[in-house]
C-alpha cells in the first residue's frame, strides 16, 4: 500500500478520501487554491501545497501544478476525487509519465468511456443493451433527421463529449430538430471543445439507476448493487437511494451483470459507475460509465458496509479484490440528500455567500454528514455550490425516510440560500414515500415542493419575538451587572420588564410584507397579540442561540441566529428569515456605516444607480453586480452621501474591491 498520497481535489470528497487514507495508515497531502487556504480539507490533511489562484483552471485543473506538488511532497500516488481532473485521460498519463500512480482506471478506459458515442458502440458489441439511437460519425442535419425519424419522436440530442446535462435537447418533432441540433452543438463546443452529437430515443418518465462496480488488474470484477438517482433537477441529481425501490430480483441481477460486463469490456480498474436508464416497462439501457467515484457513493457504502474509497486505493497499489460477488449482500436502505447553496424558487440557480452559521444533525450509526466546509467559510462562484451531503440508513425504506426527514429538520444554514426546505418537502411528499419516482418527479410536483413564500406563521413570529425580547433582557441584565451606577438606564430597562402593564411593539419584515407583534410583559414571560389571537410565550435562550420555548403550554425547541437586525429562526425544520425593524433594536445594533463598500464576490457591474454626491436613504440600491448568473444589489448601509463611484457598467470586479465610497449622515 502507498505511504503517502496527494489528493487533487477539494471540499467534501477531499475530506472523505483523507478519512479513509488515515484509517489505512496512508499519509495525505492536500492541494489548495488561494480561495481555500483555510479550508477544512487543508486543515485535515497531513500536509498541503498551494497550487494557484482561485479559478479552477488556474489551480485544481492545472495538471503541471498538481504533478509538481506531488513530486515536491514525496507522494507516490494521486487521488483525483470527482469532477476536476478525475476523468481526464491526459492527466492520468501525465501522472504515469512523472512516475506517479493515478488512483483510477487506465487512461484507455477513461478515453473509451469519455465519449458517449464510442462507449455506446462498444457496449453494443459487448452485448450490453443501449438506448435505441444513432451514434455514428456523420453529423449533418439530414443524417440526424433521418436517424430521428427511424427512432421515432420524441428524441433526445446529446453531446458525445457531454457531461453535467450540457448539450442535451429534447426534440418533440422533426420541425424543431435543426434548431435544437445547432444550439446543442454551440453549447457542446463551448463546454467540451467538441460539437459531435448523438441522437437517442427519449424515454418518457424513465428512472436513472446506476450500478457501482469495482475491478482489479487481475481480472476480478464485482458490482455493489444499484442506486436510484432519478430525483433530478436540470438533469442533475439531488437525492439518491440504495437499493432502487421496486426492482424485481431478476432485474437487479440483470443490471449488476450488465454493469460488470461493461467494466470488463473496457479493462476497468478501480471504482466506477455504470449508469442505466430504465423505461416504464422495466427495460434497462446503458447510458454511460463514470470512470471515477461518484458523489452518491455513500448510499452504497451504507448498504454494503464496504468503503468505495478503500478499494480503488488497493487496486491502484496493484492489490487483489478479495471480494466475491456471492459474498456481497445488501442490508437495509440508505438515502443521500445533497444540500446545495441554490435557490429552488429561481430554477435552482446556484447561490453564493458566507456560511455565517452552520449546524448539521448529530452523526451516529444511522446518520452521516459529509462536508468540506465549516461555519464562516464561503460558497464562492469558483466551485460547486454543494454544502454537505446528508446520508441516512435504516432497516427499510420507510424507516430510512423518517431518518432523512429528521436529519433535514436538524440542518441550519444562515448566510446563503439553500435547498434544505425543498429537500424536506421531497422527503415529506406522499408520492416519494410511495416510491413513485422517475426523472420527472421534481418538475411534476414542483408546486408542492417549491411553495410560494407566505406570511410568517404566528408560531414563527412568537418564536422570533421571544428570542428578541429574551436576548434584550439578557443584555440588560449583563449591562446592569456591569454598571455600578444605580441610575443607569439599563437598570431602568431591566425594571421596566417587570412592569405588568408594559408592552412593546416589535416590527418584523419578511420580504416585502411587514408584520407588527405587540408583546405584553408578564412576570414569567410575554403575551403576544398575533393574527390568530393572544398567545402566552415564555422560555429560555441559551448563548448558542438554542431557544427552549413554551407557547400556550406547548413546548418547542428552536434555533435562532441573529446578525445585526436580520434574524433567522429555525422552527419545525424550516428556516425563516425576518428583518427586525425596531427603534430599540436599531440602537443596539448601530452598524458600521460609511467608509468602504466592497464587492462580496467577483462579478460584473451591470447597473450603477447613483453618481458621486448623491444623498441616499438606507437600503436604497446603489449598484448591481452580476455573479454566478445572479444579480446582487449593493444597497446603502445607512442614510448618507455617495462620495465616489469606482466602477462603471460592464467593469469586472474582484472580490473585496471597493465599489463605492460612502459617508453616513451624522445620526441625530
Ligand atoms: P450527462 O453525462 O450530461 O449527465 P447523461 O447521459 O448521464 O448526461 O444523462 C443525464 C440525465 O438525462 C439522465 O439521468 C436522465 O435523467 C436524462 N436522460 C438521459 N438520456 C435519456 C433518454 N434517452 N431519455 C430520457 N431521459 C434521458
Amino acid at each position: 500500500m502507498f505511504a503517502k498520497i496527494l489528493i487533487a481535489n477539494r471540499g467534501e470528497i477531499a475530506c472523505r478520501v483523507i478519512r479513509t487514507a488515515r484509517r489505512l495508515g496512508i499519509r495525505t497531502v492536500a492541494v489548495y487554491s488561494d480561495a481555500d487556504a483555510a479550508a477544512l480539507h487543508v486543515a485535515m490533511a497531513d500536509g498541503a501545497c498551494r497550487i494557484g489562484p482561485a479559478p479552477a483552471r488556474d489551480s485544481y485543473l492545472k495538471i503541471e501544478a498538481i504533478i509538481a506538488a506531488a513530486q515536491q511532497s514525496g507522494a507516490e500516488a494521486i487521488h483525483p476525487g470527482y469532477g476536476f481532473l478525475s476523468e481526464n485521460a491526459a492527466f492520468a498519463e501525465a501522472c504515469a509519465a512523472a512516475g506517479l500512480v493515478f488512483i483510477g482506471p487506465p487512461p484507455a478506459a477513461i478515453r473509451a468511456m469519455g465519449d458517449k458515442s464510442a462507449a455506446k458502440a462498444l457496449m453494443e458489441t459487448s452485448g450490453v443493451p443501449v438506448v435505441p439511437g444513432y451514434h455514428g460519425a456523420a453529423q449533418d442535419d439530414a443524417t440526424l433527421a433521418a436517424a430521428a425519424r427511424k427512432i421515432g419522436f420524441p428524441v433526445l440530442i446529446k453531446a458525445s463529449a457531454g457531461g453535467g446535462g450540457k448539450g442535451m435537447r429534447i426534440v418533440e418533432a422533426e420541425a424543431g430538430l435543426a434548431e435544437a441540433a445547432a444550439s446543442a452543438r454551440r453549447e457542446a463546443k463551448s463546454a467540451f471543445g467538441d460539437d459531435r452529437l448523438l441522437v437517442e430515443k427519449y424515454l418518457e418518465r424513465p428512472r436513472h439507476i446506476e450500478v457501482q462496480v469495482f475491478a482489479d488488474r487481475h481480472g476480478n470484477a464485482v458490482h455493489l448493487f444499484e442506486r436510484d438517482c432519478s430525483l433530478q433537477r436540470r438533469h442533475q441529481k439531488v437525492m439518491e437511494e440504495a437499493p432502487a425501490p421496486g426492482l424485481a430480483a431478476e432485474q437487479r441481477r440483470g443490471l449488476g451483470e450488465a454493469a460488470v460486463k461493461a467494466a470488463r469490456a473496457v479493462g476497468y480498474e478501480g471504482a466506477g459507475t455504470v449508469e442505466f436508464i430504465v423505461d416504464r416497462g422495466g427495460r434497462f439501457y446503458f447510458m454511460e460509465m463514470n470512470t471515477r467515484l461518484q458523489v452518491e457513493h455513500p448510499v452504497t457504502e451504507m448498504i454494503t458496509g464496504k468503503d468505495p474509497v478503500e478499494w480503488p486505493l488497493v487496486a491502484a497499489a496493484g492489490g487483489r479484490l478479495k471480494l466475491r460477488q456471492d459474498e456481497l449482500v445488501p442490508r437495509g436502505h440508505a438515502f443521500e440528500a445533497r444540500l446545495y447553496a441554490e435557490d429552488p424558487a429561481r430554477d435552482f440557480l446556484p447561490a453564493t455567500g458566507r456560511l455565517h452559521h452552520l449546524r448539521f444533525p448529530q452523526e451516529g450509526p444511522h446518520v452521516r454528514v459529509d462536508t468540506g466546509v465549516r461555519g464562516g467559510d464561503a460558497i464562492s462562484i469558483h466551485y460547486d455550490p454543494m454544502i454537505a451531503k446528508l446520508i441516512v440508513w435504516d432497516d427499510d425504506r420507510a424507516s430510512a425516510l423518517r431518518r432523512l426527514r429528521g436529519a433535514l429538520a436538524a440542518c441550519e444554514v444562515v448566510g446563503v440560500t439553500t435547498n434544505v426546505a425543498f429537500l424536506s418537502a421531497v422527503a415529506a411528499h406522499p408520492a416519494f414515500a410511495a416510491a413513485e419516482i422517475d426523472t420527472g418527479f421534481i418538475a411534476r410536483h414542483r408546486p408542492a415542493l417549491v411553495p410560494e413564500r407566505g406570511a410568517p406563521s404566528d408560531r414563527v413570529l412568537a418564536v422570533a419575538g421571544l428570542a428578541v425580547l429574551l436576548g434584550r433582557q439578557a443584555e440588560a441584565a449583563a449591562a446592569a451587572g456591569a454598571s455600578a451606577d444605580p441610575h443607569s438606564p439599563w437598570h431602568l430597562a431591566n425594571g421596566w420588564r417587570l412592569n405588568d402593564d408594559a408592552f412593546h411593539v416589535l416590527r418584523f419584515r419578511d420580504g416585502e410584507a411587514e408584520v407588527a407583534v405587540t408583546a405584553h410583559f408578564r412576570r414569567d414571560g410575554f403575551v403576544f397579540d398575533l393574527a390568530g389571537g393572544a398567545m402566552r410565550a415564555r422560555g429560555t435562550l441559551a448563548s448558542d442561540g438554542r431557544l427552549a420555548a413554551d407557547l400556550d403550554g406547548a413546548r418547542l425547541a428552536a434555533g435562532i441566529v441573529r446578525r445585526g437586525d436580520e434574524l433567522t429562526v429555525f422552527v419545525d425544520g424550516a428556516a425563516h428569515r425576518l428583518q427586525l425593524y425596531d427603534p430599540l433594536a436599531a440602537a443596539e445594533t448601530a452598524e458600521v456605516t460609511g467608509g468602504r463598500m466592497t464587492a462580496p464576490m467577483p462579478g460584473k457591474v451591470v447597473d450603477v444607480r447613483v453618481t458621486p454626491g448623491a444623498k441616499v436613504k438606507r437600503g436604497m440600491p446603489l449598484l448591481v453586480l452580476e455573479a454566478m448568473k445572479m444579480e446582487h444589489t449593493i444597497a446603502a448601509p445607512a442614510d448618507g452621501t455617495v462620495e465616489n463611484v469606482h466602477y462603471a457598467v460592464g467593469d469586472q470586479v474582484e472580490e473585496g474591491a471597493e465599489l463605492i465610497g460612502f459617508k453616513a449622515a451624522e445620526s441625530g
Side-chain angles (χ1 to χ4, degrees), residues 78 80 86 101-107 110 217 268-271 291-292 312 316:
I78 298 188
S86 60
V101 176
F102 174 78
I103 301 166
I110 301 180
R217 70 183 61 153
Y268 202 76
E269 279 175 35
T291 54
R292 52 170 169 84

Side-chain angles (χ1 to χ4, degrees), residues 170 186 245 356 396 432 617:
I170 300 166
R186 274 196 303 276
H356 293 296
D396 53 56
F432 188 71
K617 287 259 171 243

